[in-house]
Amino acid sequence: MNSPPTTLRRRLRLKISLERFRPTIWRRVEVDDGLSFEEFHRVIQVAMGWRDAHQHEFRVAGLRIAMPLDSGGMVDDDEPAVPEDTATLFPWLSGRSGPKRFRYWYDFGDDWWHSISIERRLPFDPAAPRAVLISGKGACPPEDCGGVSGYAELLATWSDPAAADYARIREWLGDDFDPNAFDLAAHSRRVGQLFARRG
């Protein structure tokens, strides 16, 4: 497996966009490139609003970065993978010749693919929080709703009182559900708490 080039440490401004859904659901974060991919997975989960109930992996520069599923570091199949708990963002993403975009796959059944754009490589700041949510748009889809097509069907039913499943979908999503809503303050606070220094 090829080793990534080493480079100067950076702070990364990233835009995380849910693929194949319109209107686009997205989040913009700044992260310390010393985060492991496992830690960055936690940032994505909290920033987006997922519940971390399913498997996931990253695809970066043609390679797979995934969580080990046993003590020997093996993943669930024979496809080569870099362990996400030991691989940091720094060597893979911080160089000028590094990728401009990579992908994150969450829930291998519903297939929630996220496109992650590297918008800026900023100077490293050891005093800055390890992860900050800057902005975002759109509510996170509910878990286990059937992926992009399932969510589209769910929203069509949710907005059509004549639909057969209207009452059931309204009960499932709750009276306060709004597919366009995004509470930046609440999500930012949760992201900030991920790596808050204690003591």
Side-chain angles (χ1 to χ4, degrees), residues 9-10 23 32 46 49 53 68 83 97 147 186 191:
R9 292 286 308 278
R10 296 285 181 192
D32 177 342
V46 173
S97 62
V191 169

Side-chain angles (χ1 to χ4, degrees), residues 86-154:
T86 57
T88 64
L89 306 183
F90 158 64
W92 299 96
L93 305 178
S94 290
R96 292 183 189 274
S97 62
K100 302 267 191 250
R101 185 180 307 268
F102 61 106
R103 299 174 85 199
Y104 170 79
W105 184 17
Y106 174 60
D107 186 347
F108 301 165
D110 277 4
D111 286 329
W112 296 111
W113 281 96
H114 304 66
S115 177
I116 304 172
S117 303
I118 302 172
E119 294 187 325
R120 293 191 67 189
R121 292 178 171 98
L122 303 162
F124 178 65
D125 181 358
R130 296 186 73 206
V132 177
L133 175 62
I134 299 171
S135 57
K137 186 175 181 182
C140 185
E143 301 270 359
D144 302 316
C145 68
V148 170
S149 61
Y151 186 44
E153 290 174 18
L154 184 148

Side-chain angles (χ1 to χ4, degrees), residues 16-18 21 23-27 48 137-141 151 179:
I16 306 159
S17 303
L18 199 57
F21 192 82
T24 305
I25 299 167
W26 59 269
R27 309 290 185 256
M48 289 297 297
K137 186 175 181 182
C140 185
Y151 186 44

Side-chain angles (χ1 to χ4, degrees), residues 29-97:
V29 298
E30 280 187 12
V31 298
D32 177 342
D33 69 0
L35 291 182
S36 69
F37 278 90
E38 189 278 330
E39 290 172 317
F40 183 51
H41 152 73
R42 289 164 49 204
V43 172
I44 295 171
Q45 287 286 309
V46 173
M48 289 297 297
W50 297 118
R51 293 193 324 252
D52 202 3
H54 301 280
Q55 290 182 300
H56 65 274
E57 65 183 46
F58 293 88
R59 297 288 176 135
V60 181
L63 295 174
R64 178 183 185 212
I65 300 176
M67 70 180 187
L69 297 180
D70 66 24
S71 60
M74 298 302 293
V75 293
D76 62 343
D77 54 37
D78 294 332
E79 186 179 357
V82 176
E84 70 169 22
D85 56 343
T86 57
T88 64
L89 306 183
F90 158 64
W92 299 96
L93 305 178
S94 290
R96 292 183 189 274
S97 62

